[in-house]
Amino acid sequence: MNARRLLPGSPNPLGATWDGNGVNFALFSANAQRVELCLFDSRGQREIERVVLPEYTDQIWHGYLQDVRPGQLYGYRVWGPYDPNAGHRFNPHKLLLDPYAKALSGELVWTDAHFGFRVGGPRQDLVADRRDNARFMPKCRVLDTAFTWGDDRRPTVPWSRTIVYEAHVRGLTMTHPGVPPAYRGSFLGLAQPGVIGHLKSLGVTSIELLPIQAMVDERHLVEKGLRNYWGYNTIGFFAADPRFYVTSAHRDFKSMVQRLHEAGIEVILDVVYNHTAEGNHLGPTLSFRGIDNASYYILRPGNPRWYENYSGCGNTLNLTHPRVLQMVMDSLRYWAEEMRVDGFRFDLAAALARGRNGFDSGGSSFLDAVRQDPVLSRVKLISEPWDLGGDGYRLGRFPPGWSEWNGRYRDTVRRFWSGEGGMIGDLASRLTGSADLFSWGGRRPSASLNFVTCHDGFTLRDLVTYQRKRNEANGEGNADGTDANYSWNCGHDGESPYPEITALRQRQARNLIATLLLSQGVPMILAGDELGRTQNGNNNAYCQDNAIGWVDWGNVDEDMLAFFRILIKLRRENPVFRRARFLEGKRLPNLVLKDIIWITAEGREMTQADWTLPYARSLGFVLGGGVAGIDEPKGQEEAGDTFLVLMNAYHESVPYVLPPATLGQAWEVVFDTFETQAGLPSGTWAAGITYALRPRSLAVLRSVSSGRGFARDIQEGYGA
């Protein structure tokens, strides 16, 4: 070794950093005894050199190589005790990935050599394995992150105007006719004009991408010819997975972000910082476990051989450790600053906020760090507010600044439209932004991220087609996936030859999506629902990187697509459906009209007794127009029309007396989901007469004012 070639380098920044002259390598390990940097040839097949990092500063091993350039492939071997009962699993026979690697080369090839212990041995994980796994491991790549962004600007969509579109990079692009075959399934495929044009014409503002960070396909899936399609099995938090790029990780991803930003669309990443792909004590040694197991993972007090498993995937990252927390924060800032993403959705976020005494929304080191961070506190933060711990369901308990996936919204809306009685009180809370959950600490309706479908569960079409899941293709005996679907098959399970059932299913789908897009809060749409996409009853397509999991662009329900566009346009143009503040049932400023009035079928304002009727399956309400709110962040007042929304989940018609008015006052039907061509106006109705709200349908009517105006009519009619 040329002494002049290897210099001490710096403990900061962590990872492999190219500075124009050479590369600084820095790796955290509090308990290691020696760290070896392994350099590989351009194909990653042959180890060409092994260098002992010469310095150890503040628990960081580091060194600087003057002649290393971008593109160099590398990995680590870390020496230390192999003593699982003490929490240590060092094994220098295993090549390890750098936790800070910004790009990977190659794929993991499964072999017993990846395990730190002798697989199948009588003492399980207690005896170290001496086989070398390097030839079967992906390698880290030194990266030059230079990119010409031009005049790229973040769209910075206000929360009150945000409409999220949840999509998978491969799933959205694999069959799209406008994506060249070489780009299908990739970031560059998502950047194609045809895909972005669809998003623009639909009217969504933000695309939320299922995990794209470097991931591992579990061995049991590979052996069955499947793969972890969804990607919730991360092994590298700074690198994009090679399956998503064509030229290079950072250039392809940045080009995609640049094109989406040009179209005014935000990019939100679904990220998995609650666990890694290394599994439990019988899992492989790929990175963190072999670098410093006792630091990176939450181990059981008194028996550190075992892992705390709040994720359900075998392990939980230890964000109470300052260096592990630093890694997560560095990763988030890297994606927000270097890659210019606009927000994050955190998988099983309750696990991230666990301290020594369980979930802690007020003193979690992670939540506190994010809240004060000058970069991360300004991007969109969305939590999945639960994990698999006994106290893990924490909906409504994340701090100000966060939006939360509202699983209660999903379940309530599904149960109402499936015909369950006694739901109207809870439904009213969900429709109005779930103030019962979120109206504390200055939080707004945007704290509730509303959805009726997401990647995990039935698609919209399947929700009205299947009573029970059909997950046989996953190879788990249909035992995987939830049974709590709150779905209704409209009288026939699976695809039906009966026109009346098909018509009812289409109406039910319109009812569900109309409810979503007319609710206060932030709506999230599942990619493909607008096209009538089906997974053939599979409600857990996590391993289906095929036609089951992909959006089918060759079989589009044009009527459903048109209805989605109508609803999104209606929401965008009418601020009463997206108020920045919670509705209170009080008079609007300078008007006698209330912001919301709940009405019975008789046309009167609801009383407490009406809310508690166990058989109630219909609900009506008036959203008061006038000044409907303040536009964020400009502070301009937004004027809006007054709307009447009528919802009937009963199997018979419910006649609704329209709100009272003086002569000349009328209601214009915006749409009625019972109509075959949903969304087409179907007439104007005089105030005070009866509107027959037909079975299992939803109608939206707009006030057509004249004379003294609708505000005074409401005052006289309801004694406001």
Side-chain angles (χ1 to χ4, degrees):
M1 172 70 67
N2 184 341
R4 295 182 61 187
R5 174 177 177 253
L6 177 63
L7 301 176
S10 169
N12 294 301
L14 288 162
T17 306
W18 160 250
D19 64 4
N21 295 308
V23 177
N24 189 80
F25 293 90
L27 180 75
F28 158 74
S29 180
N31 296 293
Q33 296 169 347
R34 185 173 70 184
V35 173
E36 295 175 340
L37 171 67
C38 303
L39 303 180
F40 289 83
D41 64 13
S42 60
R43 297 179 60 196
Q45 297 297 310
R46 183 171 60 90
E47 184 176 332
I48 57 178
E49 189 174 0
R50 193 174 297 190
V51 179
V52 177
L53 293 185
E55 295 294 332
Y56 183 56
T57 305
D58 297 333
Q59 300 182 329
I60 295 174
W61 302 81
H62 56 95
Y64 182 93
L65 289 175
Q66 293 180 307
D67 57 352
V68 171
R69 297 291 182 266
Q72 175 67 58
L73 301 183
Y74 72 99
Y76 287 110
R77 297 181 188 273
V78 181
W79 295 71
Y82 187 86
D83 185 0
N85 285 321
H88 300 308
R89 295 177 180 268
F90 295 101
N91 190 331
H93 302 285
K94 310 305 172 184
L95 185 74
L96 305 173
L97 298 175
D98 181 357
Y100 276 71
K102 295 181 174 62
L104 299 183
S105 175
E107 293 187 1
L108 182 95
V109 178
W110 276 108
T111 168
D112 287 352
H114 289 310
F115 295 80
F117 56 93
R118 178 68 64 170
V119 175
R123 300 189 65 195
Q124 293 189 323
D125 60 317
L126 295 178
V127 178
D129 179 83
R130 295 181 177 276
R131 285 172 291 185
D132 193 294
N133 71 332
R135 62 179 293 200
F136 307 107
M137 280 288 289
K139 310 302 186 296
C140 307
R141 185 186 295 276
V142 175
L143 200 63
D144 180 358
T145 60
F147 182 81
T148 303
W149 283 100
D151 59 354
D152 176 77
R153 294 184 180 181
R154 297 180 184 274
T156 315
V157 181
W159 271 116
S160 63
R161 293 177 175 268
T162 299
I163 299 176
V164 178
Y165 186 83
E166 189 196 32
H168 190 285
V169 172
R170 286 180 59 79
L172 189 61
T173 61
M174 284 300 291
T175 72
H176 195 290
V179 177
Y183 289 169
R184 290 179 180 174
S186 73
F187 298 134
L188 294 182
L190 187 53
Q192 295 304 300
V195 179
I196 294 179
H198 173 76
L199 300 177
K200 285 287 289 181
S201 69
L202 188 59
V204 297
T205 68
S206 313
I207 186 167
E208 180 180 303
L209 299 177
L210 266 68
I212 57 86
Q213 292 175 338
M215 61 192 72
V216 170
D217 296 318
E218 293 92 329
R219 190 176 194 177
H220 72 91
L221 291 178
V222 174
E223 290 173 348
K224 291 188 290 188
L226 300 170
R227 69 189 311 180
N228 191 320
Y229 170 59
W230 285 351
Y232 292 95
N233 205 38
T234 308
I235 196 61
F237 298 111
F238 292 78
D241 194 89
R243 73 189 70 185
F244 296 122
Y245 56 82
V246 178
T247 63
S248 79
H250 78 104
R251 283 197 298 271
D252 287 9
F253 185 89
K254 290 176 177 178
S255 294
M256 176 194 72
V257 171
Q258 192 176 46
R259 297 288 88 77
L260 287 163
H261 281 181
E262 285 178 358
I265 298 172
E266 296 178 316
V267 178
I268 298 172
L269 296 187
D270 193 336
V271 287
V272 188
Y273 295 107
N274 56 79
H275 76 282
T276 78
E278 292 184 308
N280 63 13
H281 64 291
L282 298 178
T285 296
L286 306 174
S287 179
F288 312 93
R289 173 173 284 140
I291 293 171
D292 194 346
N293 184 70
S295 294
Y296 275 106
Y297 294 115
I298 301 178
L299 307 180
R300 291 188 185 176
N303 195 349
R305 176 186 176 188
W306 311 99
Y307 296 80
E308 294 288 12
N309 184 22
Y310 300 119
S311 66
C313 298
N315 63 62
T316 306
L317 274 176
N318 181 19
L319 269 68
T320 64
H321 191 290
R323 288 297 187 187
V324 182
L325 176 62
Q326 177 190 352
M327 178 189 70
V328 171
M329 297 298 290
D330 287 348
S331 169
L332 290 169
R333 279 190 292 266
Y334 173 77
W335 289 100
E337 294 185 298
E338 180 67 35
M339 309 300 266
R340 300 201 182 184
V341 305
D342 305 286
F344 303 94
R345 180 266 188 189
F346 294 83
D347 178 64
L348 298 181
L352 308 180
R354 285 187 174 273
R356 291 178 175 82
N357 297 314
F359 178 87
D360 185 358
S361 64
S364 157
S365 55
F366 169 71
L367 294 178
D368 288 349
V370 170
R371 193 171 185 178
Q372 61 78 44
D373 190 275
V375 174
L376 301 179
S377 61
R378 291 181 171 87
V379 302
K380 284 186 165 70
L381 301 171
I382 303 169
S383 72
E384 183 182 37
W386 51 81
D387 64 19
L388 275 69
D391 60 345
Y393 195 81
R394 294 293 176 163
L395 178 64
R397 302 318 304 161
F398 274 71
W402 287 77
S403 182
E404 303 180 33
W405 267 33
N406 193 341
R408 188 168 169 184
Y409 177 96
R410 171 201 58 205
D411 294 346
T412 298
V413 171
R414 289 185 179 191
R415 291 170 66 188
F416 173 79
W417 283 114
S418 68
E420 187 174 335
M423 297 297 300
I424 60 172
D426 197 36
L427 178 65
S429 295
R430 305 312 132 224
L431 295 172
T432 53
S434 296
D436 57 329
L437 299 173
F438 300 112
S439 63
W440 61 273
R443 303 184 80 183
R444 302 289 183 86
S446 57
S448 178
L449 192 139
N450 303 326
F451 62 104
V452 292
T453 56
C454 66
H455 70 276
D456 188 3
F458 284 142
T459 65
L460 180 63
R461 178 172 169 177
D462 289 355
L463 188 62
V464 299
T465 304
Y466 296 92
Q467 204 73 15
R468 296 178 180 85
K469 65 190 180 186
R470 296 188 180 183
N471 297 353
E472 289 79 7
N474 297 353
E476 301 176 37
N478 204 32
D480 61 303
T482 183
D483 293 314
N485 296 297
Y486 303 113
S487 60
W488 181 48
N489 62 16
C490 299
H492 178 94
D493 210 55
E495 296 300 323
S496 172
Y498 306 110
E500 62 274 17
I501 289 181
T502 298
L504 176 56
R505 287 173 174 173
Q506 291 172 340
R507 186 160 76 251
Q508 284 286 86
R510 291 195 291 268
N511 291 336
L512 287 160
I513 204 64
T515 303
L516 173 66
L517 286 165
L518 299 178
S519 295
Q520 307 297 321
V522 180
M524 184 182 77
I525 298 165
L526 174 63
D529 276 353
E530 76 277 18
L531 309 177
R533 171 177 170 253
T534 178
Q535 292 181 167
N536 301 316
N538 192 318
N539 76 346
N540 188 35
Y542 79 101
C543 56
Q544 300 298 326
D545 189 5
N546 51 46
I548 294 175
W550 301 341
V551 173
D552 182 3
W553 290 95
N555 188 24
V556 175
D557 184 337
E558 295 292 350
D559 287 340
M560 184 59 68
L561 178 57
F563 188 59
F564 267 79
R565 287 170 173 160
I566 287 167
L567 280 166
I568 292 174
K569 184 173 185 288
L570 179 67
R571 181 183 180 89
R572 182 175 65 247
E573 294 181 352
N574 293 279
V576 295
F577 297 119
R578 49 175 176 79
R579 290 181 183 270
R581 292 178 174 82
F582 287 107
L583 296 162
E584 300 180 279
K586 297 179 180 179
R587 295 180 183 178
L588 294 169
N590 303 317
L591 295 172
V592 294
L593 180 63
K594 293 181 181 180
D595 55 13
I596 189 167
I597 302 170
W598 303 97
I599 64 170
T600 66
E602 294 81 15
R604 60 175 173 80
E605 188 166 6
M606 291 180 67
T607 65
Q608 184 60 40
D610 295 315
W611 287 111
T612 59
L613 294 175
Y615 55 81
R617 288 172 172 81
S618 65
L619 185 64
F621 57 95
V622 175
L623 287 171
V627 177
I630 304 297
D631 184 25
E632 304 172 277
K634 298 179 181 178
Q636 297 174 337
E637 293 183 342
E638 288 189 293
D641 292 331
T642 295
F643 286 86
L644 170 65
V645 179
L646 304 175
M647 309 169 72
N648 178 22
Y650 193 48
H651 63 269
E652 295 181 1
S653 294
V654 175
Y656 263 87
V657 176
L658 299 183
T662 56
L663 185 65
Q665 192 78 48
W667 291 95
E668 173 191 41
V669 178
V670 178
F671 69 83
D672 187 324
T673 61
F674 200 90
E675 299 295 329
T676 303
Q677 293 179 303
L680 297 180
S682 54
T684 302
W685 296 70
I689 70 169
T690 298
Y691 183 90
L693 185 61
R694 286 165 289 186
R696 304 188 191 277
S697 64
L698 182 153
V700 174
L701 297 86
R702 187 196 315 260
S703 171
V704 181
S705 301
S706 64
R708 292 178 297 166
F710 183 70
R712 185 170 298 177
D713 299 333
I714 289 291
Q715 180 187 33
E716 294 176 354
Y718 294 115

